[in-house]
Amino acid sequence: MFRKLMAGEFGQVRAEMIARDHVLSSLGGRTADEALEAGIGAKEVWLAVCDAFEIPENRR
């Protein structure tokens, strides 16, 4: 579901780039991919991405 939400919001290519490269301080200085690999829940990672990119509440 996380990947589907990311692709829906950012487009497939940009979503992959963001998940791989964008460091999120709210996830302990990890990227979304690193956070997921570390066992952080997909919902928490998605909300961190939403906060970082100021995604409106109705699209979270």
XYZ file of all heavy atoms in Angstrom:
462
model
N 0.816 -1.195 0.000
C 0.000 0.000 0.000
C 0.866 1.268 0.000
O 0.527 2.240 -0.648
C -0.929 -0.048 1.217
C -1.912 1.071 1.238
S -3.037 0.946 -0.151
C -4.349 1.931 0.381
N 1.987 1.231 0.739
C 2.872 2.395 0.796
C 3.332 2.802 -0.610
O 3.256 3.968 -0.974
C 4.083 2.104 1.697
C 5.120 3.191 1.670
C 4.921 4.369 2.374
C 6.279 3.041 0.928
C 5.880 5.382 2.334
C 7.238 4.046 0.898
C 7.036 5.219 1.599
N 3.795 1.837 -1.381
C 4.290 2.139 -2.737
C 3.171 2.692 -3.615
O 3.401 3.599 -4.421
C 4.892 0.900 -3.384
C 6.054 0.319 -2.625
C 7.306 1.124 -2.805
N 8.360 0.550 -1.981
C 9.443 1.187 -1.624
N 9.665 2.415 -2.030
N 10.334 0.622 -0.860
N 1.977 2.150 -3.459
C 0.833 2.617 -4.250
C 0.497 4.067 -3.895
O 0.251 4.896 -4.777
C -0.361 1.707 -4.000
C -1.555 2.024 -4.839
C -2.674 1.027 -4.599
C -3.870 1.362 -5.463
N -4.952 0.390 -5.300
N 0.509 4.387 -2.606
C 0.241 5.766 -2.174
C 1.315 6.715 -2.688
O 1.005 7.818 -3.170
C 0.165 5.844 -0.647
C -1.049 5.188 -0.003
C -0.849 5.087 1.505
C -2.311 5.960 -0.335
N 2.562 6.289 -2.598
C 3.665 7.128 -3.078
C 3.523 7.397 -4.578
O 3.628 8.541 -5.020
C 5.011 6.444 -2.796
C 5.421 6.437 -1.345
S 5.961 8.051 -0.729
C 7.545 8.224 -1.541
N 3.270 6.343 -5.348
C 3.136 6.497 -6.799
C 1.931 7.361 -7.151
O 1.993 8.175 -8.074
C 3.025 5.130 -7.470
N 0.854 7.213 -6.403
C -0.329 8.031 -6.664
C -0.096 9.502 -6.392
O -0.641 10.369 -7.090
N 0.719 9.789 -5.412
C 0.978 11.187 -5.042
C 2.062 11.830 -5.901
O 1.954 12.979 -6.294
C 1.372 11.270 -3.562
C 1.541 12.670 -3.039
C 0.258 13.489 -3.097
O -0.842 12.959 -2.815
O 0.337 14.690 -3.438
N 3.126 11.087 -6.177
C 4.306 11.681 -6.817
C 4.583 11.181 -8.229
O 5.460 11.717 -8.894
C 5.551 11.406 -5.967
C 5.486 11.965 -4.575
C 5.281 11.138 -3.477
C 5.614 13.322 -4.347
C 5.225 11.646 -2.192
C 5.557 13.851 -3.064
C 5.360 13.007 -1.985
N 3.882 10.143 -8.668
C 4.242 9.484 -9.924
C 5.276 8.412 -9.627
O 6.044 8.532 -8.666
N 5.300 7.365 -10.426
C 6.133 6.195 -10.139
C 7.621 6.529 -10.011
O 8.261 6.156 -9.042
C 5.929 5.133 -11.229
C 6.605 3.817 -10.916
C 6.018 3.131 -9.711
O 4.813 3.144 -9.497
N 6.858 2.528 -8.901
N 8.172 7.228 -10.969
C 9.617 7.489 -10.972
C 10.015 8.396 -9.813
O 10.965 8.098 -9.083
C 10.059 8.088 -12.324
C 11.511 8.512 -12.286
C 9.821 7.085 -13.441
N 9.289 9.479 -9.625
C 9.626 10.402 -8.531
C 9.419 9.732 -7.177
O 10.213 9.945 -6.250
C 8.797 11.681 -8.634
C 9.224 12.714 -7.606
C 8.644 14.093 -7.890
N 9.152 15.045 -6.908
C 8.390 15.839 -6.182
N 7.080 15.848 -6.355
N 8.923 16.657 -5.310
N 8.383 8.916 -7.043
C 8.127 8.215 -5.783
C 9.303 7.314 -5.418
O 9.743 7.289 -4.260
C 6.848 7.401 -5.883
N 9.817 6.589 -6.384
C 10.970 5.720 -6.137
C 12.187 6.530 -5.727
O 12.918 6.147 -4.816
C 11.269 4.882 -7.374
C 10.215 3.833 -7.653
C 10.451 3.079 -8.948
O 11.586 3.127 -9.479
O 9.503 2.434 -9.428
N 12.396 7.656 -6.389
C 13.530 8.520 -6.070
C 13.405 9.081 -4.650
O 14.367 9.069 -3.880
C 13.623 9.662 -7.079
C 14.817 10.571 -6.874
S 14.840 11.958 -8.043
C 13.422 12.887 -7.492
N 12.221 9.549 -4.295
C 12.005 10.105 -2.963
C 12.228 9.027 -1.901
O 12.927 9.264 -0.905
C 10.589 10.702 -2.845
C 10.503 11.992 -3.675
C 10.231 10.982 -1.390
C 9.094 12.514 -3.860
N 11.647 7.867 -2.096
C 11.777 6.783 -1.115
C 13.230 6.365 -0.933
O 13.662 6.058 0.183
C 10.931 5.591 -1.534
N 13.991 6.407 -1.996
C 15.389 5.975 -1.963
C 16.333 7.055 -1.452
O 17.291 6.754 -0.726
C 15.808 5.549 -3.375
C 17.228 5.038 -3.477
C 17.640 4.782 -4.918
N 17.637 6.035 -5.672
C 16.987 6.233 -6.820
N 16.283 5.272 -7.359
N 17.033 7.392 -7.435
N 16.063 8.337 -1.777
C 17.066 9.383 -1.578
C 16.732 10.456 -0.548
O 17.643 11.091 -0.026
C 17.338 10.096 -2.904
C 17.900 9.171 -3.962
O 18.587 8.197 -3.596
O 17.656 9.416 -5.154
N 15.470 10.694 -0.276
C 15.098 11.819 0.593
C 15.194 11.403 2.065
O 14.466 10.540 2.533
C 13.682 12.310 0.281
C 13.339 13.574 0.986
N 13.697 14.813 0.480
C 12.717 13.805 2.159
C 13.281 15.745 1.315
N 12.691 15.147 2.354
N 16.111 12.038 2.794
C 16.318 11.742 4.209
C 15.281 12.503 5.034
O 15.095 13.707 4.859
C 17.749 12.115 4.643
C 17.928 11.927 6.132
C 18.768 11.290 3.862
N 14.621 11.767 5.927
C 13.559 12.332 6.754
C 14.029 12.380 8.208
O 14.266 11.330 8.827
C 12.297 11.490 6.630
C 11.736 11.424 5.204
C 10.890 10.190 5.005
C 10.944 12.674 4.904
N 14.164 13.566 8.752
C 14.627 13.698 10.138
C 13.658 13.042 11.114
O 14.075 12.483 12.135
C 14.850 15.166 10.498
O 13.653 15.898 10.361
N 12.368 13.059 10.789
C 11.369 12.465 11.683
C 11.478 10.936 11.741
O 10.878 10.306 12.608
C 9.963 12.872 11.259
O 9.684 12.404 9.960
N 12.241 10.366 10.828
C 12.469 8.917 10.833
C 13.900 8.600 11.250
O 14.476 7.591 10.850
C 12.170 8.318 9.454
C 10.722 8.418 8.987
C 10.577 7.910 7.563
C 9.796 7.661 9.923
N 14.471 9.480 12.046
C 15.814 9.241 12.560
C 16.908 9.419 11.536
O 17.955 8.772 11.616
N 16.680 10.301 10.569
C 17.687 10.538 9.549
C 17.762 9.429 8.516
O 18.799 9.234 7.888
N 16.675 8.706 8.359
C 16.609 7.623 7.373
C 15.784 8.066 6.166
O 14.953 8.940 6.257
C 15.914 6.401 7.969
C 16.603 5.751 9.128
C 15.737 4.584 9.608
N 16.346 3.843 10.671
C 16.025 3.976 11.954
N 15.086 4.813 12.332
N 16.629 3.246 12.881
N 16.004 7.387 5.067
C 15.105 7.529 3.929
C 13.889 6.654 4.208
O 13.902 5.811 5.122
C 15.778 7.060 2.626
O 16.014 5.655 2.708
C 17.066 7.817 2.350
N 12.847 6.798 3.410
C 11.666 5.948 3.572
C 12.035 4.481 3.394
O 11.610 3.627 4.186
C 10.583 6.361 2.579
N 12.842 4.174 2.395
C 13.258 2.787 2.176
C 14.030 2.245 3.371
O 13.795 1.120 3.817
C 14.111 2.665 0.909
C 13.302 2.722 -0.366
O 12.059 2.604 -0.318
O 13.929 2.892 -1.438
N 14.946 3.042 3.898
C 15.723 2.598 5.068
C 14.826 2.389 6.280
O 15.018 1.435 7.042
C 16.816 3.611 5.395
C 17.915 3.685 4.372
C 18.846 4.874 4.551
O 18.466 5.873 5.202
O 19.965 4.797 4.019
N 13.860 3.281 6.467
C 12.946 3.161 7.599
C 12.116 1.887 7.487
O 11.942 1.159 8.472
C 12.046 4.391 7.679
N 11.611 1.601 6.306
C 10.832 0.379 6.104
C 11.693 -0.855 6.356
O 11.259 -1.806 7.015
C 10.248 0.346 4.690
C 9.159 1.384 4.406
C 8.872 1.457 2.910
C 7.896 1.097 5.203
N 12.923 -0.830 5.865
C 13.840 -1.954 6.075
C 14.178 -2.128 7.554
O 14.433 -3.252 8.009
C 15.119 -1.759 5.264
C 14.915 -1.927 3.778
C 16.143 -1.552 2.960
O 17.249 -1.438 3.546
O 15.983 -1.363 1.745
N 14.171 -1.024 8.322
C 14.471 -1.070 9.752
C 13.270 -1.520 10.580
O 13.366 -1.643 11.797
C 14.950 0.301 10.224
N 12.138 -1.740 9.910
C 10.966 -2.243 10.605
C 9.970 -1.185 11.045
O 9.009 -1.484 11.749
N 10.180 0.046 10.646
C 9.207 1.101 10.946
C 7.979 0.852 10.072
O 8.102 0.545 8.887
C 9.803 2.495 10.717
C 10.983 2.710 11.673
C 8.756 3.588 10.890
C 11.765 3.982 11.454
N 6.816 0.989 10.662
C 5.576 0.693 9.958
C 5.343 1.588 8.750
O 5.711 2.766 8.743
N 4.721 1.011 7.734
C 4.462 1.732 6.488
C 3.612 2.976 6.724
O 3.836 4.011 6.093
C 3.799 0.816 5.473
N 2.639 2.888 7.636
C 1.785 4.046 7.906
C 2.601 5.193 8.495
O 2.445 6.347 8.088
C 0.644 3.670 8.848
C -0.310 4.817 9.105
C -1.485 4.400 9.945
C -2.444 5.569 10.137
N -3.632 5.168 10.893
N 3.481 4.887 9.429
C 4.333 5.917 10.034
C 5.254 6.549 8.998
O 5.443 7.766 8.970
C 5.157 5.310 11.166
C 5.996 6.329 11.913
C 6.762 5.746 13.083
O 6.464 4.617 13.517
O 7.672 6.437 13.558
N 5.785 5.724 8.116
C 6.672 6.232 7.056
C 5.873 7.118 6.103
O 6.317 8.212 5.736
C 7.364 5.074 6.312
C 8.179 5.597 5.138
C 8.245 4.273 7.265
N 4.686 6.664 5.705
C 3.847 7.455 4.805
C 3.526 8.814 5.423
O 3.623 9.845 4.762
C 2.575 6.687 4.460
C 1.548 7.504 3.732
C 0.319 7.843 4.182
C 1.673 8.120 2.445
N -0.346 8.624 3.245
C 0.478 8.809 2.170
C 2.682 8.153 1.486
C 0.265 9.517 0.990
C 2.466 8.867 0.307
C 1.268 9.528 0.075
N 3.156 8.836 6.687
C 2.820 10.106 7.345
C 4.037 11.016 7.452
O 3.910 12.234 7.321
C 2.189 9.849 8.713
C 0.802 9.196 8.653
C 0.302 8.882 10.059
C -0.200 10.061 7.910
N 5.206 10.450 7.646
C 6.436 11.251 7.680
C 6.693 11.886 6.318
O 7.071 13.059 6.225
C 7.615 10.385 8.113
N 6.480 11.118 5.253
C 6.629 11.663 3.890
C 5.603 12.767 3.671
O 5.934 13.842 3.151
C 6.489 10.544 2.826
C 6.405 11.139 1.421
C 7.641 9.556 2.923
N 4.367 12.521 4.088
C 3.314 13.528 3.934
C 3.668 14.824 4.653
O 3.477 15.917 4.109
C 1.988 12.994 4.463
S 1.250 11.719 3.427
N 4.184 14.711 5.857
C 4.593 15.902 6.606
C 5.722 16.638 5.893
O 5.688 17.863 5.756
C 5.029 15.530 8.026
C 3.880 15.126 8.919
O 2.704 15.413 8.572
O 4.147 14.510 9.968
N 6.710 15.892 5.436
C 7.868 16.503 4.788
C 7.511 17.230 3.496
O 8.095 18.262 3.173
C 8.926 15.436 4.501
N 6.525 16.703 2.788
C 6.135 17.288 1.503
C 4.833 18.060 1.563
O 4.272 18.429 0.532
C 6.081 16.197 0.424
C 7.450 15.707 0.017
C 8.061 14.672 0.712
C 8.149 16.310 -1.013
C 9.337 14.235 0.367
C 9.417 15.883 -1.375
C 10.005 14.846 -0.674
N 4.356 18.305 2.793
C 3.154 19.097 3.028
C 1.947 18.611 2.215
O 1.243 19.385 1.583
C 3.429 20.587 2.796
C 4.512 21.117 3.718
C 4.845 22.577 3.490
O 4.361 23.190 2.518
O 5.610 23.112 4.308
N 1.753 17.294 2.251
C 0.603 16.692 1.586
C -0.657 17.027 2.393
O -0.681 16.813 3.604
C 0.773 15.159 1.479
C 2.091 14.785 0.804
C -0.427 14.524 0.785
C 2.283 15.315 -0.584
N -1.688 17.551 1.758
C -2.902 17.904 2.481
C -3.550 16.693 3.181
O -3.425 15.566 2.695
C -3.854 18.446 1.401
C -2.967 18.772 0.244
C -1.786 17.859 0.331
N -4.233 16.956 4.267
C -4.870 15.907 5.060
C -5.768 15.004 4.225
O -5.803 13.800 4.428
C -5.701 16.528 6.194
C -4.887 17.076 7.332
C -4.157 16.003 8.143
O -4.713 14.895 8.310
O -3.041 16.274 8.577
N -6.483 15.566 3.277
C -7.436 14.769 2.501
C -6.769 13.782 1.546
O -7.439 12.946 0.950
C -8.417 15.674 1.735
C -7.740 16.516 0.665
O -6.563 16.857 0.789
N -8.482 16.868 -0.347
N -5.443 13.860 1.385
C -4.727 12.925 0.521
C -3.790 12.012 1.308
O -2.992 11.293 0.725
C -3.945 13.682 -0.546
C -4.856 14.417 -1.491
C -4.239 14.788 -2.823
N -2.881 15.275 -2.806
C -2.542 16.561 -2.990
N -3.468 17.474 -3.181
N -1.269 16.914 -2.980
N -3.909 12.013 2.623
C -3.035 11.176 3.448
C -3.621 9.816 3.686
O -4.757 9.580 3.663
C -2.764 11.854 4.798
C -1.924 13.084 4.613
C -1.669 13.764 5.926
N -0.861 14.942 5.685
C 0.088 15.345 6.464
N 0.363 14.723 7.574
N 0.788 16.416 6.175
